[in-house]
Amino acid sequence: MKSAKTVLREYLKNKGMLHSKQREQILDIFLKTERHLTIDDLYGLIRKKNPRIGLATVYRAMSTICDASLAREIDFEDGVKRFEHKYQHQHHHHLVCLKCGRAIEIVSPEIEKFQQRLAKKHGFTPVKDTMKIFGICRQCQRKTK
Ligand SMILES: [Zn+2]
Ligand SMILES: [Zn+2]
């Protein structure tokens, strides 16, 4: 398996884009954090390492990192865009808590099979899919009891 850095470098080379040290630093910090990160979360982490990197640079870098298929954007319908790892990660779905915002990841071959069946039945070619179930997580249910 190629490293994420190699994937990014190859992507940039193919696109005729210049390799940038800041972008690689952003990728590093993003990959080290196994969470669903908003751009502000990420910017906060990056500033701790390199205060010279601006928010606009983080935005641009994440958009390139997504285009290179290393990250993907997810939307938990709370008005904030989040990023998660895509490279070398299994396709998964989310259970999203409406109280604390936690997103539990679900990897399920049954769901994938079901989706394939569904698409086939409708002669549909899926491009991307994501399933989200909104509700209240176990911890938050405990707190309200
Ligand atoms: Zn919760
Ligand atoms: Zn996820």
Side-chain angles (χ1 to χ4, degrees), residues 72-83:
R72 65 173 182 153
E73 274 180 21
I74 35 164
D75 177 7
F76 293 147
E77 292 170 38
D78 57 356
V80 203
K81 221 179 355 185
R82 287 181 176 79
F83 295 94

Side-chain angles (χ1 to χ4, degrees), residues 91-96 106 111 115 129-133:
H91 183 65
H92 62 268
H93 302 278
H94 297 101
L95 301 180
V96 186
I106 309 286
I111 294 174
Q115 287 179 340
D129 72 84
T130 173
M131 195 177 83
K132 282 170 278 187
I133 301 177

Side-chain angles (χ1 to χ4, degrees), residues 97-102 135-141 143:
C97 179
L98 292 167
K99 278 228 161 113
C100 68
R102 188 199 319 266
I136 313 293
C137 74
R138 194 181 285 148
Q139 278 87 339
C140 289
Q141 283 177 49
K143 270 183 233 154

